[in-house]
Amino acid sequence: MTASDEPEARRRARIRLELAASYFGQGQDTVALDEIKLSLLADPTYADAHALRGLVYSRMNELGLAETSFHRARQLNPFDLRAYLGDGNYAGVYQRSDEEMLALWQIGVEETRAVIEEGWM
């Protein structure tokens, strides 16, 4: 799609989202959220804006709002891998006990050791 093919509402939303991403990259989460709101006002169906909002909320430790945003991004664009990866936690539990993390680590070590010793297939 060329710039002339992009609908005006999506173009405005994309420009606002580019600003939001820049602010997010600079650690200015509140300003990034303001730009994301403007992006979504221009185009409420812009999945990328919902996904970035999820990342911002994750960093702000607003986990319920983050999951809601990632969920909406997945609804709007079910084939977008970023919406599923979200903040890198695959929409899973954000904090686990030390015992649970140790158990997960041990499974990973065992599986890796098996691949090294027995081969991939």
Side-chain angles (χ1 to χ4, degrees):
M1 172 176 6
T2 65
S4 63
D5 296 328
E6 186 175 38
E8 180 61 22
R10 179 55 58 95
R11 186 186 73 75
R12 287 193 319 269
R14 180 182 47 77
I15 290 168
R16 288 294 186 178
L17 190 62
E18 289 171 2
L19 285 169
S22 178
Y23 286 120
F24 179 67
Q26 297 171 21
Q28 297 181 42
D29 296 339
T30 303
V31 180
L33 280 176
D34 290 341
E35 291 297 335
I36 292 167
K37 288 176 190 174
L38 293 172
S39 175
L40 290 171
L41 280 174
D43 185 354
T45 67
Y46 196 18
D48 289 352
H50 290 280
L52 182 57
R53 185 171 64 180
L55 290 174
V56 175
Y57 280 139
S58 290
R59 185 158 70 189
M60 295 173 74
N61 205 31
E62 295 286 348
L63 305 181
L65 293 171
E67 180 51 34
T68 299
S69 296
F70 291 133
H71 178 72
R72 183 67 180 134
R74 288 189 298 271
Q75 285 178 322
L76 291 168
N77 188 355
F79 301 106
D80 183 9
L81 186 57
R82 289 173 298 179
Y84 283 93
L85 296 178
D87 63 353
N89 201 34
Y90 307 97
V93 177
Y94 289 88
Q95 294 181 347
R96 298 177 184 265
S97 68
D98 290 343
E99 295 79 21
E100 188 176 3
M101 289 308 300
L102 181 58
L104 288 170
W105 179 260
Q106 287 172 335
I107 290 168
V109 169
E110 290 168 9
E111 290 175 350
T112 302
R113 184 173 288 128
V115 168
I116 291 169
E117 293 172 357
E118 301 166 18
W120 186 253
M121 294 272 180

